Amino acid sequence: MSTEAGHAVGVAMKRKEDPRFIQGKGNYVDDLTIPGMLYLALVRSPYPHAEIKKIDIADAMKKVPGVKAIITGKDLEAAGLGWLPTFHGFDKQMVLGIGKVLFQYQEVAAVFAESREAAADGAEAVQVEYAPLPVVADPFTSKTDQVLLRPDREQKTNHIFHWEVGDKDATMRALSSSPRRIKERLWFQRCHPAPLEPCGCVAYFDTMGRLQFHVTSQAPHVYRTALALVTGIPEDKIHVVSPDIGGGFGNKVPVYPGYVCAIVGALKIGRAVKWIESRTENLTSTGFARDYHMDVEIGATEDGRVTALHVATTADHGAFDAAADPSKYPAGIFGIVTGSYAFPVAHAEVDAYFTNKAPGGIAYRCSFRVTEASYAIERGMDILADELGMDAAELRRKNFIRKDQFPYPSALGFTYDSGDYHKTLDTALDAIGYKQLLEEQAEKRARGELMGIGLSTFTEVVGAGPSKHFDILGIKMFDSAEIRIHPTGAGIVRAGTKSQGQGHETTWAQIVAEELGLDPQTIMVEEGDTDTAPYGLGTYASRSTPTAGAAIAMAARRIREKARKIAAHLLEVGETDVEWKDYKFQVKGVPSKTVTMKEVAFAAYTNMAQNEPGLEATFYYDPPNMTYPNGAYVAVVDVDRETGEVKVRRFLAVDDCGTIINPMVVEGQIHGGLTEGFAIAFMQEIQYDGDGNNLNTNFTDYLLPTSLETPHWETAKTITPSPHHPIGAKGVGESPNVGSPAAFVNAVIDALSPLGVRHIDMPITRDKVWSAIRAAEDRKK
Amino acid sequence: MKVKVTVNGVAYERDVKPRTLLAYFLREACGLTGTHVGCDTSNCGCCVVVMDGGRAVKSCTMFAVQADGHQIMTVEGLANGATLHPLQQGFWDQHGLQCGYCTPGMMLTAYALLKHNPNPSEADIREGLAGNLCRCTGYQNIVKAVQQAAEKMREPVSARS
Amino acid sequence: MIPAAFEYIRAHSPDEALGQLQKHGSDARVLAGGQSLIPAMRFRLARPAVLVDINGIGSFDYIRVSNGTLNIGAIARDSAVEHASWIGECKWSLLRDVSRVVADPVVRQTGTVVGSLCHNDPAGDWTATSLAARASVVVRGKSGQRIVAIDQFLIDSFTTAVSNGEMVIEVRFPVPDDRTAGSYQKVERKVGDFATAAAAVQVSLAVDGTIRTAGVALSAAGPCAVRVAEAERLLVGQKPGADVIRAAAAEASKKSDPQADLRGSVAYKKHLAGVLVARGLQQAFERLGVKP
């Protein structure tokens, strides 16, 4: 596609960042080597809950050549660094075990050594004596408070918080007076983002006494501020650099004990320290996601108009509430649970509990808890359709928020910006041939074959967020851009976000090119260096395009304003006689008198007259609202009765993310997100047994689909721009992961519904399907 | 132990411990960081290199000492000077990468695949890449990338631009 | 994930390899493909003091027919079977099927058939295949060479009839006649996973269309891959048909003795064993041009 100066938004431009990756010249954190660098290995607890009686480091220090130092929780405590505040702010987290350990694989000691091998040998040689304590392996047991997990907290209970939104009384009244009602317990299982690059860092103090911290962080500025607050090192003396990151998906948002230990080691020993975790460590100790047990209740009239929605959730946060949520939202943006429907009244509540599992609750390829909410409502609506004997599409159509109702104030306090849900659904049903599929299904059912069609018509909420409501550790969730145009019309844009594969080096350049009539190939994009990038809250929760994308457009418009003055000077007219048209400055009413931005750029340095020299601008964007991407997904599945295998025959995703900056990038994001949704629906799970043992500690047991299992994805779009976003864009990276799990589950349950199967929790394994079929057949007998 | 491994046509003579994995040898002793480590159990394929011209090998599951006297191709050896290999061009053209972490291993597995099977069907490609994980792309564009490369590589040499 | 330290010895000949194994006894392990051993070493579950690398012994790298058997040498790779020029022949259909589902397509380029048999993972693919195909292994040691039928070779999980100071140098598959076909049916949650259940079958037909020989074996159905002798007995002498397939499948389910784990319950896995034997037999017969 053409990438000349001018039209750039909407162009499927090849990515500018690719050349280094395809040549193996990416700069990931493990690629960095500093002279004299030490390696850090962490000693971890085999026990899910135990007192630490004794840590004997003598053998490790004396008998393993190359071991330079070992620190424990007690050492950190003495330095005031024993505990980290979690991003959520509701809790703090041990860096290394102090007094006791609270989850299997918890960090207990840090070994610094000359080589990877010595560090591993050293860690093995550390002897820890534990006295096991009773294990709390699920949140319902935790709720009884029979075993108190966190005596360090003021409130002596395992209950972390209660959060609610909506009108409970009105909702419960409406439910009890509704002629039809469904109630179902839905569990969104614990999963883990598992980016292919594990977490890691290199820390060292340079000759100016500054902390140089290279780290896999999706939010480098927040790290810098958090480190300043926690360590007492002045913020100007901390340089955080997020290099190329091999996938984040929310896993690389929290600050991890390994990072703190690396920094402490670098400080105490005076040498650079590298910490790169193993896959096992990644899966067992870093930010997990989901683990929401949701009781969903929907009320309806006889003819299928919804009357009320109530969702009560029991949340398992593991040993520490390390959820990286905005501070006023301990349950994230779960309030989107009314989804695409005009519920007159609704109430949602979440109660969170500690357990002896890895800490967290991060936003895994979703806007905080939006996947859980979307799953709850889309499964709930299907269960309601089943109960009413109504077609699933018909029920949805009947209850959609109508196009003319936008901006729509939901019963749980959101103002949805825009959407045309009927059109999006119709587009999907037409494209998939819904009528024909229903006919085919009827024929197959007559022969006892199990074919299912599943819908998900989700609305999600991204772009955290407006300063009125959103902050992380008190820092408001704006984002920023700084643009500088050079004399020859090339330029550089720096933003406060940090791509981990989303393509910002291309898409941000496209926005600048579009706004300023320049060539995106010569607009350099930089992110992740806290010394140079303007302050931002990072990239996760699909917030980058809604916030930084907006900031870039607004900064570019500030540049255009400055440029207009210089253009007027070049065109020898007054400022008000110049307008921006067709990617050029033009004298109003005189189309032949134009000057390009490139010419203006040169003049900004060589012939600026009385105007300020140079051509740059900064913009910090506080979004006025969230954005609400939506979609209609259809899954078609065939179930093998004998083996319980579910084959996804077709999957169509129609997404509406407003204005699309780069269709190729958007399509790639959708393929990737659907693949993660597919994996979550059918195979991904971090399970703990009743004794607190983690059963899915590496990729042999935590299953990620390969090219062979992954279905072919069909994609389409509708475009309903966001009215409040400068370029109408909404963000899309996570929609497919948010909307698809319900489509898959709805399809499987639809296939099994003739047998009377009502629900199966994810991951939908072969055994679960086979067992459900067998149980149904037994019931018939 | 002293080993001599020819990587991308260059002989590297190094002293290594027996337990040094080939992946770390390439990354650290040879300074070629394009080969990545993504898991502990040989599942992810980020570490794949090509041995002796045609065997795709998970370099995290081989010791450097085993490569003594052998030829290894890493991602850094794919291009011909400034000319990208058709696989690299295919991945770029077809948006077959996002974060880039799986890409070197994915391309080298495809390299070995195309050596055995220069005209693979989509099913052949999906089967052939099933030892390599990707978390970003959903594989669809990776398949297109390999198809583009295969087509290009089947052209007579003089026809390739 | 760094292995513990070990001494590395590269053997240049079979005698040298055996000499080192005899010298170091239980301290030494053979390094062939290493695709099971090295991951175990990275987790320090295996900590051999000495590794004897046999990959440089060219005389171990062969797949050839000799005296009525297909002989696969100690370092012949899984992929060499997978891509053999003759693998498309009907009589080798069991080997063809299994060679495409062992581990994953990259691991197969280094992993070896012999190594897989010596490792004897309860869910291994080559073990069940060897049982169904009536293979035998050649074990060489201090006192010379002996041939061990695969049934006697596979003893228990990760335990075979190889003693310290010995090694397997070859596996032999009898060359089937032309009225033979097989099938390998494997249910795995994804490529690279161990089997949830797997069945290997190989059948040959007599001139009158009855089943002349039958090999039926299961993997992931107990501590060790296992032959379902009862199913084999049922099949021999019968014409291929739905009833006899059903009966054989029922025997397989009965024989299957799996552990419940993340892949499924005991009931599910036993059920699958039957389903896979049925599907395997069905496919084998169809390959022979018979529609039961």
Side-chain angles (χ1 to χ4, degrees):
Chain A
M1 279 271 206
S2 165
T3 54
E4 301 155 9
H7 173 56
V9 165
V11 173
M13 218 184 113
K14 266 172 33 172
R15 293 200 330 171
K16 296 165 67 202
E17 47 266 77
D18 287 0
R20 65 181 184 276
F21 295 127
I22 57 180
Q23 295 181 81
K25 297 205 187 311
N27 298 304
Y28 302 95
V29 76
D30 196 15
D31 299 342
L32 181 61
T33 303
I34 304 289
M37 187 170 79
L38 295 174
Y39 294 81
L40 164 58
L42 293 167
V43 178
R44 295 176 178 272
S45 166
Y47 292 98
H49 192 204
E51 270 177 58
I52 302 173
K53 292 296 250 199
K54 189 169 156 204
I55 303 180
D56 186 347
I57 65 171
D59 276 358
M61 287 295 296
K62 295 200 196 88
K63 294 188 185 159
V64 179
V67 172
K68 280 275 158 299
I70 300 177
I71 60 174
T72 67
K74 283 210 178 103
D75 300 319
L76 289 177
E77 215 179 9
L81 290 167
W83 295 77
L84 275 181
T86 61
F87 273 147
H88 186 208
F90 261 49
D91 198 9
K92 52 186 181 101
Q93 170 178 3
M94 287 178 202
V95 177
L96 295 171
I98 295 174
K100 66 171 185 166
V101 290
L102 282 152
F103 65 96
Q104 194 179 54
Y105 289 93
Q106 183 179 349
E107 303 83 358
V108 168
V111 175
F112 302 87
E114 299 279 4
S115 68
R116 245 180 251 273
E117 290 81 10
D121 293 344
E124 198 183 33
V126 172
Q127 286 150 34
V128 186
E129 208 183 295
Y130 297 97
L133 295 166
V135 171
V136 178
D138 73 85
F140 301 100
T141 306
S142 178
K143 189 171 169 169
T144 66
D145 273 343
Q146 274 183 3
V147 176
L148 182 66
L149 292 177
R150 298 286 306 279
D152 61 279
R153 283 168 64 88
E154 217 183 289
Q155 305 261 46
K156 306 300 179 200
T157 170
N158 293 330
H159 184 233
I160 312 172
F161 65 77
H162 171 84
W163 170 87
E164 62 180 282
V165 69
D167 188 336
K168 185 159 191 176
D169 287 336
T171 303
M172 300 319 277
R173 271 199 312 273
L175 280 172
S176 40
S177 61
S178 296
R180 307 303 293 269
R181 255 171 110 160
I182 61 104
K183 182 170 181 174
E184 193 76 34
R185 160 69 61 84
L186 305 172
W187 182 40
F188 204 125
Q189 81 278 27
R190 177 177 278 241
C191 17
H192 192 287
L196 284 184
E197 182 208 23
C199 302
C201 66
V202 174
Y204 65 97
F205 287 82
D206 68 12
T207 52
M208 299 210 307
R210 296 184 85 210
L211 167 60
Q212 298 288 345
F213 191 53
H214 296 254
V215 60
T216 49
S217 170
Q218 295 176 234
H221 290 94
V222 179
Y223 273 35
R224 188 188 68 192
T225 306
L227 285 171
L229 293 172
V230 167
T231 63
I233 301 171
E235 199 168 354
D236 70 308
K237 305 281 188 293
I238 301 176
H239 182 204
V240 177
V241 177
S242 292
D244 288 326
I245 299 182
F249 312 115
N251 188 215
K252 293 170 176 164
V253 169
V255 173
Y256 292 117
Y259 300 158
V260 177
C261 292
I263 292 170
V264 169
L267 183 61
K268 288 188 72 119
I269 305 169
R271 289 165 68 173
V273 173
K274 173 180 272 191
W275 175 67
I276 307 290
E277 63 174 1
S278 69
R279 175 58 55 191
T280 304
E281 295 178 287
N282 174 256
L283 290 175
T284 58
S285 70
T286 67
F288 77 89
R290 319 281 190 261
D291 220 343
Y292 259 28
H293 302 259
M294 304 177 283
D295 288 313
V296 179
E297 259 186 293
I298 305 179
T301 61
E302 286 294 351
D303 67 337
R305 226 163 270 284
V306 296
T307 55
L309 169 71
H310 179 244
V311 184
T313 299
T314 301
D316 184 336
H317 277 247
F320 308 100
D321 181 3
D325 286 314
S327 65
K328 294 189 190 71
Y329 295 83
I333 319 183
F334 193 74
I336 198 66
V337 71
T338 51
S340 307
Y341 313 103
F343 279 95
V345 75
H347 180 254
E349 51 187 321
V350 175
D351 286 283
Y353 298 92
F354 292 119
T355 56
N356 290 123
K357 298 179 188 172
I362 53 92
Y364 164 17
R365 197 164 188 159
C366 70
S367 194
F368 321 91
R369 299 295 180 182
V370 168
T371 327
E372 291 87 321
S374 183
Y375 179 70
I377 187 64
E378 286 305 301
R379 268 304 290 139
M381 288 301 273
D382 246 50
I383 292 170
L384 178 64
D386 200 38
E387 176 75 16
L388 295 172
M390 256 181 103
D391 173 66
E394 201 40 54
L395 177 68
R396 285 170 163 82
R397 268 204 207 90
K398 206 159 198 172
N399 291 287
F400 274 158
I401 300 161
R402 290 186 323 269
K403 185 174 161 184
D404 58 275
Q405 288 180 288
F406 289 94
Y408 175 81
S410 81
L412 295 181
F414 288 98
T415 304
Y416 292 26
D417 58 2
S418 66
D420 188 348
Y421 301 154
H422 291 90
K423 178 167 164 202
T424 309
L425 176 59
D426 286 340
T427 304
L429 297 181
D430 282 339
I432 200 101
Y434 190 56
K435 275 209 193 72
Q436 295 89 312
L437 285 173
L438 287 173
E439 283 163 18
E440 183 195 346
Q441 184 180 52
E443 284 169 41
K444 285 205 147 95
R445 276 184 175 161
R447 292 199 298 271
E449 286 173 39
L450 303 172
M451 168 187 164
I453 307 163
L455 300 181
S456 173
T457 51
F458 67 95
T459 296
E460 66 147 345
V461 55
V462 302
S467 58
K468 200 163 46 175
H469 302 296
F470 294 93
D471 69 87
I472 290 202
L473 288 182
I475 306 168
K476 300 296 183 182
M477 297 185 73
F478 54 85
D479 225 282
S480 59
E482 178 193 294
I483 306 176
R484 182 175 310 136
I485 306 300
H486 309 319
T488 52
I492 180 168
V493 53
R494 296 180 165 118
T497 44
K498 175 61 210 174
S499 178
Q500 319 106 42
Q502 292 90 331
H504 296 172
E505 285 173 46
T506 308
T507 54
W508 289 173
Q510 287 178 259
I511 297 177
V512 173
E514 176 80 27
E515 294 287 329
L516 298 181
L518 292 170
D519 182 359
Q521 291 293 352
T522 52
I523 303 289
M524 178 165 146
V525 177
E526 234 182 47
E527 289 178 323
D529 183 331
T530 57
D531 271 358
T532 52
Y535 203 103
L537 275 283
T539 294
Y540 43 83
S542 288
R543 64 182 300 274
S544 301
T545 295
T547 60
I552 290 166
M554 300 304 284
R557 289 170 196 179
R558 277 189 175 158
I559 286 183
R560 218 156 69 203
E561 267 317 293
K562 293 187 179 174
R564 198 155 68 90
K565 298 180 176 23
I566 297 174
H569 161 66
L570 292 177
L571 291 164
E572 295 170 325
V573 295
E575 264 181 60
T576 51
D577 294 321
V578 176
E579 62 180 358
W580 177 255
K581 202 163 175 216
D582 297 331
Y583 305 102
K584 286 197 272 274
F585 288 108
Q586 185 195 297
V587 175
K588 280 184 186 158
V590 191
S592 58
K593 285 206 78 186
T594 64
V595 77
T596 64
M597 181 63 75
K598 202 166 169 196
E599 289 164 326
V600 169
F602 195 71
Y605 294 85
T606 62
N607 181 11
M608 75 292 288
Q610 75 283 7
N611 296 297
E612 187 188 7
L615 195 55
E616 72 180 71
T618 303
F619 199 100
Y620 282 74
Y621 184 77
D622 183 357
N625 191 5
M626 306 287 279
T627 60
Y628 298 79
N630 70 278
Y633 292 170
V634 188
V636 182
V637 304
D638 299 291
V639 177
D640 181 332
R641 290 188 98 105
E642 288 189 306
T643 63
E645 183 184 356
V646 177
K647 275 214 134 59
V648 176
R649 195 205 300 176
R650 282 186 76 182
F651 194 101
L652 169 66
V654 179
D655 279 277
D656 193 330
C657 61
T659 301
I660 291 177
I661 302 167
N662 184 324
M664 179 193 78
V665 166
V666 166
E667 188 192 59
Q669 289 289 303
I670 294 177
H671 291 168
L674 292 178
T675 303
E676 294 201 81
F678 166 75
I680 284 168
F682 293 107
M683 58 181 80
Q684 270 180 217
E685 188 180 5
I686 301 276
Q687 295 171 79
Y688 286 79
D689 68 15
D691 298 318
N693 294 303
N694 188 322
L695 303 177
N696 307 81
T697 60
N698 49 60
F699 283 164
T700 50
D701 296 303
Y702 187 67
L703 305 177
L704 304 182
T706 71
S707 49
L708 202 59
E709 293 85 40
T710 304
H712 178 84
W713 307 117
E714 299 167 58
T715 61
K717 59 179 180 284
T718 57
I719 298 182
T720 319
S722 170
H724 67 77
H725 187 281
I727 66 169
K730 292 189 178 184
V732 76
E734 301 175 323
S735 288
N737 192 35
V738 166
S740 63
F744 292 115
V745 179
N746 286 343
V748 174
I749 301 302
D750 185 49
L752 302 179
S753 62
L755 302 172
V757 175
R758 188 171 151 102
H759 181 66
I760 299 176
D761 274 331
M762 301 184 290
I764 299 194
T765 62
R766 287 173 174 84
D767 190 355
K768 280 185 188 172
V769 172
W770 176 76
S771 299
I773 294 174
R774 217 175 57 141
E777 285 168 349
D778 285 346
R779 274 198 301 273
K780 264 203 224 145
K781 286 186 193 143
Chain B
M1 297 188 68
K2 288 218 176 332
V3 298
K4 181 168 161 186
V5 185
T6 305
V7 186
N8 304 328
V10 175
Y12 289 83
E13 292 193 47
R14 298 283 187 275
D15 202 359
V16 299
K17 300 185 182 93
R19 58 174 162 164
T20 304
L21 298 170
L22 179 58
Y24 289 121
F25 173 81
L26 294 167
R27 290 179 54 75
E28 292 167 2
C30 306
L32 298 165
T33 57
T35 302
H36 300 143
V37 177
C39 77
D40 308 332
T41 48
S42 317
N43 289 106
C44 78
C46 291
C47 66
V48 170
V49 297
V50 175
M51 193 165 180
D52 297 333
R55 170 160 48 132
V57 166
K58 292 190 168 178
S59 64
C60 73
T61 312
M62 180 173 281
F63 296 112
V65 287
Q66 291 179 262
D68 182 31
H70 289 271
Q71 318 249 7
I72 302 285
M73 177 167 67
T74 68
V75 60
E76 290 94 339
L78 267 177
N80 184 6
T83 309
L84 292 177
H85 188 278
L87 277 165
Q88 292 170 305
Q89 194 66 49
F91 272 74
W92 192 8
D93 290 346
Q94 300 297 332
H95 190 38
L97 65 144
Q98 292 179 27
C99 83
Y101 202 73
C102 78
T103 309
M106 196 68 79
M107 291 191 297
L108 290 169
T109 296
Y111 180 93
L113 168 70
L114 293 178
K115 274 224 145 176
H116 278 297
N117 185 357
N119 195 1
S121 64
E122 176 171 343
D124 290 336
I125 295 173
R126 282 186 179 264
E127 258 188 67
L129 295 180
N132 293 67
L133 296 176
C134 176
R135 287 296 265 162
C136 295
T137 68
Y139 304 104
Q140 201 149 308
N141 288 345
I142 290 178
V143 170
K144 283 161 83 176
V146 176
Q147 285 172 324
Q148 177 183 309
E151 202 186 308
K152 193 86 204 171
M153 288 162 74
R154 288 195 301 273
E155 283 171 17
V157 179
S158 53
R160 295 184 220 159
S161 53
Chain C
M1 290 297 135
I2 309 285
F6 58 88
E7 186 192 337
Y8 170 83
I9 298 168
R10 180 182 280 194
H12 299 93
S13 71
D15 284 341
E16 192 187 335
L18 279 157
Q20 293 291 350
L21 290 175
Q22 278 142 33
K23 175 175 169 195
H24 295 282
S26 60
D27 280 346
R29 293 289 298 267
V30 170
L31 175 62
Q35 301 299 287
S36 299
L37 178 60
I38 296 178
M41 289 175 70
R42 291 184 69 195
F43 279 92
R44 303 198 177 194
L45 295 172
R47 306 174 72 113
V50 179
L51 276 191
V52 180
D53 183 353
I54 63 168
N55 287 285
I57 304 176
S59 62
F60 277 162
D61 190 4
Y62 59 86
I63 302 179
R64 57 178 174 244
V65 173
S66 168
N67 293 330
T69 58
L70 173 74
N71 304 338
I72 300 178
I75 59 165
R77 312 290 169 187
D78 296 328
S79 57
V81 178
E82 189 184 357
H83 295 122
S85 58
W86 41 262
I87 200 66
E89 295 171 29
C90 182
K91 63 184 184 234
W92 294 119
S93 42
L94 168 58
L95 261 61
R96 175 179 167 272
D97 283 356
V98 69
S99 67
R100 296 176 62 183
V101 297
V102 172
D104 70 53
V106 177
V107 169
R108 288 201 287 278
Q109 295 180 49
T110 296
T112 64
V113 181
V114 168
S116 195
L117 295 175
C118 293
H119 183 60
N120 198 13
D121 189 293
D125 299 306
W126 285 114
T127 46
T129 298
S130 302
L131 286 167
R134 300 290 195 278
S136 46
V137 296
V138 179
V139 181
R140 193 184 285 183
K142 207 169 188 167
S143 45
Q145 209 159 276
R146 65 182 196 288
I147 298 172
V148 183
I150 195 73
D151 297 59
Q152 274 73 60
F153 180 72
L154 304 172
I155 294 173
D156 200 350
S157 301
F158 309 107
T159 311
T160 67
V162 174
S163 313
N164 290 325
E166 294 184 318
M167 62 178 292
V168 173
I169 61 159
E170 181 181 281
V171 57
R172 296 180 177 174
F173 289 87
V175 176
D177 69 24
D178 286 337
R179 288 225 81 198
T180 303
S183 172
Y184 192 73
Q185 299 280 327
K186 179 177 183 179
V187 169
E188 52 182 353
R189 297 174 297 176
K190 53 160 277 196
V191 170
D193 191 19
F194 286 106
T196 299
V201 309
Q202 187 165 284
V203 289
S204 65
L205 298 181
V207 172
D208 66 354
T210 58
I211 300 165
R212 190 173 65 78
T213 66
V216 178
L218 301 173
S219 188
C224 212
V226 65
R227 260 204 314 127
V228 190
E230 301 78 353
E232 294 172 343
R233 274 197 290 274
L234 264 173
L235 288 161
V236 171
Q238 301 300 317
K239 275 242 159 77
D243 288 340
V244 75
I245 290 176
R246 211 176 357 252
E251 289 301 331
S253 265
K254 247 198 306 202
K255 186 80 179 214
S256 164
D257 179 29
Q259 296 242 347
D261 65 11
L262 298 178
R263 295 175 187 84
S265 63
V266 168
Y268 175 65
K269 291 184 179 188
K270 283 173 77 77
H271 162 81
L272 263 192
V275 171
L276 297 184
V277 163
R279 290 186 179 183
L281 288 169
Q282 182 85 21
Q283 187 172 50
F285 292 134
E286 281 173 14
R287 284 171 167 163
L288 288 169
V290 178
K291 222 170 192 311

